[in-house]
Amino acid sequence: QVQLVESGGGLVQAGGSLRLSCAASGRTFSSYAMGWFRQAPGKEREFVAAINWSGGITYYADSVKGRFTISRDNAKNTVYLQMNSLKPEDTAVYYCAAGRSSGSSRSSYDYWGQGTQVTVSS
């Protein structure tokens, strides 16, 4: 079992930055691929970014490529999402997830956090 707790969300103006953190419980964090997803009101939950167990391979949705960076610190059982040049369309609840294989599909992930709200004002 892995429990995930996100933090770092908030209200920011367009063009600003935020860094989300996701702290994981358990001693097997380093064996999991990690992903970030987001869900805006009235929309499906969508893939944002993913990172493999070692941090050596990352994936991004086209909509965030070049603006967001996913990273992890296995010693701290934490995965991060650095978000720069934020746009109003980035407004959503952001969720982190853990799974045995990284990828853009929700079905790749077994454990989910409760989410953190990110609001970008224009």
Side-chain angles (χ1 to χ4, degrees):
Q1 277 279 20
V2 177
Q3 292 186 323
L4 304 172
V5 179
E6 302 97 334
S7 61
L11 174 64
V12 64
Q13 288 188 332
S17 298
L18 281 175
R19 188 175 84 154
L20 304 183
S21 299
C22 174
S25 65
R27 294 176 290 178
T28 59
F29 173 76
S30 60
S31 67
Y32 285 92
M34 300 296 296
W36 285 97
F37 289 73
R38 66 187 182 186
Q39 187 167 18
K43 294 189 176 182
E44 293 283 323
R45 191 172 299 188
E46 65 174 7
F47 170 74
V48 175
I51 190 166
N52 76 328
W53 67 273
S54 69
I57 301 174
T58 56
Y59 309 89
Y60 297 94
D62 288 343
S63 59
V64 307
K65 204 170 292 183
R67 300 188 298 122
F68 291 11
T69 303
I70 188 171
S71 61
R72 66 189 298 161
D73 185 338
N74 287 342
K76 295 182 178 179
N77 281 13
T78 303
V79 63
Y80 305 97
L81 185 68
Q82 177 67 44
M83 305 186 295
N84 299 329
S85 302
L86 282 161
K87 304 174 181 180
E89 51 264 43
D90 294 318
T91 295
V93 177
Y94 283 71
Y95 299 89
C96 72
R100 289 299 182 181
S101 62
S102 59
S104 60
S105 171
R106 290 165 57 182
S107 62
S108 298
Y109 300 90
D110 302 308
Y111 304 101
W112 294 82
Q114 83 290 347
T116 185
Q117 176 71 47
V118 171
T119 303
V120 184
S121 63
S122 57

